[in-house]
């Protein structure tokens, strides 16, 4: 055995310890399944074995399936399809993709009790293994988490997890859980009957063995006579009150963009109509179908494979030793700076929080107090955690406190003169090796670096609001930024447990530049006479989390106006659209509607109740189109296509150099339709040639902003894709 250790104690209880060599976490792959099958056969055939306990030799149980195996399976499918035909390839794919499900069912029906002792994390296929066991005990440690998060990467639990959960919980609860994919703490999992007991980590194996010695049953409830579904039959009063409503909620939330979510609905509904083994077969068929869907392939690639690679430092300069940050200075204790201070202190790093005076800095620290206190009230942190975090934050108006910092980040107001003043004050006191970062969303890093004594140590570190929730950080390299600055910035981002993307300097960088096109398209639709509600609803139908008007309110309408004015001043009137200028001038200068921050923007924000579109928007529209005359699909193409097109331009301009960062950044940074896998995957999924044709149609109707980039034209002519053209790992090939 390579991946497991095996021993039998004097009571005849076999202990299987999962401990994959050379890995920090156990994952499921073909070798693991083969060895587990061998152990199942061995324990079943040995009359001296009375039961089996499965546990881990690491500090966590399992991270689930190794999803990179799916990419190999896709290649195998194509080989078989070419050599033996579609039917043989489909059969091969089905049999390979159901191996874990078949094995887990054999464990469940082997006739001997299997118990699972869970320490740390057990997710995905690893937790499906636990669900197939007859008894589960989990550690009572705070870090313990169990769950089935497959939906978040475009898949669903296909090794029996969906079918088993639907027999543990009533249908409504099962669907709600499976469609959200949340990881559960041990106490919550116990209440939901996902586990049977909680014990100290040191007692997990003993507790599992004691259950076997006490006569633990080797039969699951659904394999016993008289088993009743927890929510009653599908065609019962309770069932008919749940499933039709669940279908309506599913469509409201997903707009049918996510095949895996639809599959969960199907598997639960169809599976509850038939016996357990037949239900497993239904699940297996749906799983084989979903795994091969373009949405699952794109989401798995971007949200699992690429994100893991970026989180592990795929873009970090390899020649620079790791930096262990002990003290970080943050200049600017406004909401952004204060929130950056919070996530930094949360990572165990001391923070010096600077503002113009002590009172302002104290107000910044109060933001951290509020955020951590909310966690305490929800049971996600203790009072001791709060005290420790706040003790790490030192608010002050004295720049001299930056003297011993390892990294300094300015997060002052987005004005060049204000930032220049902060940079000057800081560089007078910090050391000659300290890296200086600027949290700016639009101002070019190269020009800001000219204010710093050593531009090689200056770098952009762009956070997204709200900082404590947004997982992306955009790191911007200026023309003079050195490898040490880039490595330190990436080490910092990793320390605060966020995902970094690295981009080259330009106006708006990547994320702000692309988001600007999305917001602008909403503005232009409004100017064309499209009803505001239709703009917002179609954006959500297309897969965006919020419409462009709502998003503009969040980032501030007056900020959009200032950016437009600055762009016109720097690049001339041809760089802006006069219709957008007229709209923003009306909103900001004449109506004083600045967005959510003054509770008046494209939406109204009443004291009580949800936000609602401002009725006065209709008065700003000189033209009003009849809703029935508007092509919904064209609106979707405009809203998504303009973002994808601008991303391609960023790639062409070498602002972006890595397709992984384009896709991951678009989903984490501005919520670009996750089902597509990101902006460049959206183009690849459609096909570059077809995307170019769509752009040309929109260009003919709406103007040059939809003109295809030359890179796209070249790729379309050669029949290329972004992930096909660019080198392994997604990095841009040398010209």
């Amino acid at each position: 055995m390579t991946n497991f250790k095996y021993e039998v104690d004097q009571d005849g209880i076999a202990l299987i310890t999962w401990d994959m060599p050379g890995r920090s976490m156990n994952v499921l792959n073909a070798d693991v399944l083969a060895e587990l099958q061998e152990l199942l056969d061995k324990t079943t055939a040995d009359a001296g074995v009375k039961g089996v306990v499965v546990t881990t030799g690491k500090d966590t149980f399992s991270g689930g399936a190794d999803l990179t195996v799916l990419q190999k399976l896709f290649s195998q499918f194509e080989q078989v399809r070419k050599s033996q035909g579609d039917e043989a390839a489909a059969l091969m794919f089905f049999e390979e993709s159901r191996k874990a499900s078949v094995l887990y069912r054999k464990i469940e029906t082997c006739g001997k009790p299997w118990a699972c002792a869970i320490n740390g994390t057990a997710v995905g296929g690893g937790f499906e293994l636990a669900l197939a066991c007859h008894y589960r005990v989990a550690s009572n440690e705070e870090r313990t988490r169990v769950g089935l998060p497959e939906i978040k990467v475009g898949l669903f639990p296909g090794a029996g997890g969906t079918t088993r959960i639907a027999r543990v919980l009533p249908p409504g609860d099962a669907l709600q859980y499976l469609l959200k994919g949340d990881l559960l703490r041990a106490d919550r999992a116990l209440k939901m009957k996902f586990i049977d007991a909680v014990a100290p980590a040191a007692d997990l194996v003993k507790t599992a063995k004691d259950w076997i010695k006490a006569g633990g049953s080797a039969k699951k409830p659904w394999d016993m006579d008289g088993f009743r579904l927890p929510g009653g039959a599908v065609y019962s009063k309770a069932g008919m009150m749940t499933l039709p409503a669940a279908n309506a909620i599913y469509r409201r939330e997903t707009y049918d963009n996510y095949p895996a979510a639809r599959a969960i609905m199907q598997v639960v509904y169809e599976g509850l109509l038939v016996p357990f083994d037949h239900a497993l077969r239904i699940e297996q068929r749906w799983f084989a179908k979903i795994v091969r869907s373009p949405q699952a392939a794109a989401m798995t690639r971007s949200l699992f494979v690429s994100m893991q690679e970026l989180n592990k430092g795929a873009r970090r300069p390899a020649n620079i030793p790791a930096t262990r940050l002990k003290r970080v200075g943050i200049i600017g204790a406004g909401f952004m700076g204060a929130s950056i201070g919070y996530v930094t202190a949360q990572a165990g790093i001391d923070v010096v929080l600077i503002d113009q005076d002590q009172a302002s800095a104290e107000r910044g620290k109060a933001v951290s107090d509020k955020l951590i206190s909310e966690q305490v009230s929800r049971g996600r942190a203790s009072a001791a955690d709060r005290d420790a975090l706040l003790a790490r934050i030192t608010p002050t108006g004295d720049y001299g406190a930056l003297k011993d910092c390892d990294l300094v980040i300015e997060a002052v107001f987005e004005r060049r003169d204000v930032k220049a003043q902060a940079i000057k004050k800081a560089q007078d006191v910090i050391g000659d090796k300290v890296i200086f970062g600027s949290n700016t969303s639009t101002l070019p890093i190269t020009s800001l670096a000219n204010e710093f004594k050593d531009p090689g140590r200056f770098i952009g570190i762009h956070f997204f609001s709200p900082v404590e929730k947004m997982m992306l950080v955009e790191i911007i390299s200026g023309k003079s930024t050195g490898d040490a600055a880039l490595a330190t910035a990436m080490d910092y981002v990793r320390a605060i447990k966020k995902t970094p993307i690295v981009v080259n300097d330009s106006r708006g960088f990547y994320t702000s530049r692309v988001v600007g096109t999305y917001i602008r398209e909403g503005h232009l639709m409004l100017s064309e006479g499209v009803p505001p509600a239709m703009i917002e609803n179609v954006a959500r139908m297309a897969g965006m989390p919020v419409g462009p008007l709502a998003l503009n309110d969040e980032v501030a309408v007056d900020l959009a106006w200032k950016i437009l004015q600055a762009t016109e001043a720097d690049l001339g009137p041809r760089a802006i659209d006069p219709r957008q200028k007229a709209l923003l001038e009306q909103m900001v200068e004449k109506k004083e509607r600045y967005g959510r921050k003054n509770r008046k923007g494209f939406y109204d924000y009443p004291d009580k109740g949800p936000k609602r579109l401002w009725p006065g928007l209709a008065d700003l529209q000189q033209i009003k189109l009849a809703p029935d005359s508007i092509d919904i699909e064209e609106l979707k193409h405009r809203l998504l296509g303009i973002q994808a097109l601008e991303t391609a331009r960023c790639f062409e301009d070498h602002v972006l150099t890595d397709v992984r960062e384009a896709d991951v950044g678009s989903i984490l940074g501005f919520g670009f339709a996750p089902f597509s896998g990101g902006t460049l995957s959206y183009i690849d999924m459609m096909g570059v040639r077809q995307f170019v044709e769509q752009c040309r149609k929109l260009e003919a109707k709406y103007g040059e902003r939809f003109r295809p980039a030359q890179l796209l034209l070249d790729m379309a002519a050669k029949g290329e894709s972004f992930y096909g053209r660019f080198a392994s790992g997604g990095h841009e090939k040398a010209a």
Side-chain angles (χ1 to χ4, degrees):
M1 292 289 166
T2 301
N3 300 293
F4 295 95
K5 298 171 185 174
Y6 177 79
E7 58 185 273
V8 181
D9 67 13
Q10 60 185 7
D11 295 312
I13 299 176
L15 179 64
I16 295 174
T17 304
W18 191 0
D19 194 0
M20 299 180 75
R23 288 181 179 262
S24 60
M25 185 176 287
N26 296 319
V27 295
L28 288 162
N29 59 28
D31 292 339
V32 168
L33 292 177
E35 289 186 17
L36 192 57
Q37 175 70 64
E38 186 178 336
L39 288 166
L40 171 62
D41 294 341
K42 184 174 183 175
T43 54
T44 303
D46 189 344
V49 173
K50 307 303 180 186
V52 180
V53 174
V54 183
T55 190
T56 177
K58 302 184 186 297
D59 62 358
T60 194
F61 186 75
S62 173
D66 181 356
L67 294 184
T68 59
V69 172
L70 292 178
Q71 295 175 323
K72 297 176 183 176
L73 189 54
F74 294 144
S75 298
Q76 188 179 350
F77 172 82
E78 286 301 322
Q79 291 172 1
V80 175
R81 187 179 66 81
K82 290 176 181 177
S83 61
Q84 302 178 41
D86 290 346
E87 187 173 339
L91 180 60
M92 179 281 299
F93 197 94
F94 174 66
E95 293 298 338
E96 290 294 322
S97 64
R98 70 192 286 255
K99 279 187 173 179
S101 182
V102 171
L103 173 58
Y104 292 173
R105 182 56 174 160
K106 287 180 180 178
I107 289 173
E108 201 169 48
T109 58
C110 71
K112 293 184 179 181
W114 279 56
C116 188
I118 301 169
N119 192 34
T121 301
V123 300
F127 188 52
E128 286 180 287
L129 169 59
L131 289 172
C133 293
H134 305 95
Y135 180 82
R136 292 162 295 283
V137 55
S139 166
N140 62 4
E141 293 181 348
E142 196 280 332
R143 67 188 183 89
T144 299
R145 295 288 188 279
V146 300
L148 301 170
E150 287 90 336
I151 190 67
K152 296 181 180 181
V153 292
L155 298 171
F156 74 95
T162 304
T163 299
R164 290 185 177 92
I165 293 297
R167 280 163 172 75
V168 172
L169 300 175
D173 294 338
L175 287 169
Q176 185 176 29
Y177 173 72
L178 291 165
L179 290 168
K180 290 176 69 176
D182 292 338
L183 299 187
L184 307 173
R185 296 169 184 266
D187 56 349
R188 180 66 177 148
L190 184 64
K191 289 179 182 177
M192 294 177 71
K193 300 181 181 179
F194 288 2
I195 59 175
D196 301 293
V198 175
D203 297 334
L204 288 175
V205 172
K206 180 182 181 298
T207 303
K209 287 185 173 183
D210 287 346
W211 174 80
I212 293 173
K213 287 189 283 187
S217 173
K219 269 195 172 184
K220 286 293 190 68
W222 40 85
D223 289 322
M224 296 180 182
D225 293 338
F227 171 69
R228 292 177 178 271
L229 295 171
V234 170
Y235 288 106
S236 65
K237 183 178 180 181
M240 295 310 294
M241 289 177 66
T242 298
L243 290 161
N247 187 56
I249 294 170
Y250 150 76
R251 289 184 175 278
R252 183 191 70 193
E253 296 299 319
T254 70
Y255 294 97
D256 214 14
N257 285 323
Y258 294 86
R262 172 188 273 270
I264 287 172
M265 301 285 293
Q266 294 284 163
V267 170
V268 170
Y269 169 72
E270 295 173 11
L272 290 175
L273 294 171
V274 296
F276 189 83
D277 285 299
H278 193 169
L280 280 181
R281 187 82 171 181
I282 291 170
E283 180 187 298
Q284 292 158 5
R285 289 187 179 281
W286 273 104
F287 184 72
K289 177 182 175 66
I290 295 305
V291 167
R292 289 179 54 206
S293 70
Q295 292 88 347
M299 288 182 72
T300 300
R301 180 177 60 201
S302 294
L303 295 175
F304 181 80
V305 179
S306 294
M307 194 180 298
Q308 278 198 341
E309 291 169 351
L310 296 177
N311 285 337
K312 291 177 181 177
R315 295 295 312 282
R316 187 188 185 281
N319 60 321
I320 305 296
T323 306
R324 185 173 178 81
L325 299 166
K326 297 179 180 178
R327 191 175 179 86
V328 171
I330 297 167
I331 306 171
F335 187 71
M336 281 298 289
S339 300
I340 295 169
Y342 170 72
V343 298
T344 305
Q346 199 173 38
I349 301 170
D350 289 338
V351 174
V352 176
L353 190 60
I354 303 279
D355 212 298
Q356 59 188 351
D357 52 47
Q358 186 67 34
S360 299
E362 293 284 357
R363 284 195 294 271
K365 181 174 180 177
V367 171
S368 289
D369 193 352
K370 179 183 177 184
L371 290 170
I372 189 63
S373 295
E374 289 174 355
Q375 297 299 307
V376 173
S377 67
R378 294 171 183 169
R380 296 177 181 174
S382 65
D385 294 331
R386 176 177 57 201
D387 294 343
L389 183 142
L390 294 175
R392 287 192 284 270
I393 302 175
T394 302
T396 179
D398 180 14
Y399 274 74
L402 297 173
K403 182 179 179 181
D404 297 324
C405 290
D406 307 307
L407 170 69
V408 175
I409 302 170
E410 69 80 7
V412 298
F413 192 66
E414 190 80 351
R415 262 178 43 189
R416 189 178 298 279
D417 57 335
V418 177
K419 289 186 181 292
Q421 185 179 23
I423 293 167
K424 183 179 185 306
K425 287 182 178 180
Q427 71 180 354
D428 290 340
V429 295
I430 64 176
D432 291 336
K433 294 184 179 180
V434 176
I435 304 304
F436 194 97
S438 174
N439 174 53
T440 175
S441 58
T442 56
L443 297 175
I445 291 299
T446 302
S447 60
L448 289 177
N450 291 333
E451 307 289 340
F452 193 66
K453 55 187 174 183
D454 180 4
R457 292 189 283 118
F458 196 97
I459 193 165
I461 306 177
H462 175 208
F463 286 85
F464 297 78
S465 183
V467 175
E468 68 278 5
K469 293 181 180 178
M470 298 295 283
M471 295 309 299
L472 186 74
V473 176
E474 185 178 31
I475 298 174
I476 306 105
S477 287
K479 288 183 179 178
S480 300
T481 300
D483 282 354
L486 177 56
T488 300
M490 294 194 73
D491 290 342
Y492 168 67
V493 172
R494 187 172 187 179
I496 61 175
K497 298 180 180 178
K498 295 192 182 293
T499 298
I501 62 169
V502 181
V503 305
N504 290 321
D505 196 18
S506 77
R507 179 178 293 274
F509 319 127
Y510 165 46
T511 54
S512 297
R513 177 171 162 178
V514 174
V515 166
T517 66
Y518 175 59
I519 291 174
R520 179 186 64 193
E521 206 61 30
H523 292 165
L524 297 182
M525 288 177 178
L526 195 65
S527 299
E528 292 164 11
V530 179
M534 179 174 280
I535 297 170
E536 299 294 88
N537 289 334
V538 170
R540 293 187 65 236
M541 289 169 64
M544 297 299 294
V546 296
L549 306 181
L551 180 59
N552 197 178
D553 274 3
E554 295 296 330
V555 300
V557 182
D558 61 330
L559 177 60
W561 172 234
K562 289 173 184 174
I563 291 172
L564 184 141
Q565 289 177 302
T567 301
E568 184 178 25
D570 291 349
L571 303 178
R574 286 184 57 82
I576 65 161
D577 192 301
R579 295 170 296 171
Q580 185 184 29
K581 180 179 180 180
L583 175 65
L584 288 175
E585 186 175 18
Q586 280 282 338
M587 291 287 291
V588 176
E589 300 291 344
K590 298 181 180 178
K591 303 295 183 182
E592 296 184 345
R593 301 189 70 86
Y594 305 148
R596 181 183 278 276
K597 67 181 182 181
N598 78 332
R599 304 173 74 174
K600 297 188 301 180
F602 290 99
Y603 286 76
D604 284 323
Y605 299 86
D607 290 334
K608 295 181 180 180
K611 67 182 181 183
R612 54 177 178 262
L613 280 163
W614 176 43
L617 288 176
D619 297 332
L620 301 183
Q621 293 181 297
Q622 296 181 358
I623 304 169
K624 294 182 178 62
L625 299 177
D628 290 345
S629 69
I630 299 170
D631 185 339
I632 298 294
E633 291 304 311
E634 183 181 87
L635 293 184
K636 289 183 186 178
H637 288 319
R638 287 175 63 182
L639 290 167
L640 296 185
I642 196 68
Q643 296 178 74
L645 176 56
E646 193 64 23
T647 302
R649 289 176 180 143
C650 286
F651 215 78
E652 183 177 65
D653 295 342
H654 297 279
V655 174
L656 285 165
T657 59
D658 193 310
V659 292
R660 296 171 299 182
E661 292 177 317
D663 279 344
V664 172
S666 67
I667 296 174
L668 296 189
F670 46 93
F672 184 86
F675 68 86
S676 71
T679 44
L680 295 185
S681 284
Y682 172 81
I683 297 174
D684 276 1
M685 189 183 297
M686 182 182 298
V688 176
R689 187 173 288 116
Q690 184 177 341
F691 182 76
V692 166
E693 290 174 1
Q694 175 186 284
C695 288
R696 281 178 166 150
K697 289 178 183 177
L698 293 173
E699 180 189 8
K701 189 171 181 179
Y702 295 104
E704 65 179 14
R705 69 181 183 276
F706 284 104
R707 181 173 298 162
Q710 186 60 48
L711 173 63
L712 290 171
L713 297 176
D714 294 343
M715 291 172 65
K718 297 175 184 177
E720 294 177 328
S721 66
F722 277 97
Y723 279 88
R725 171 167 175 159
F726 297 102
S728 61
H731 206 58
E732 187 176 7
K733 288 180 180 176

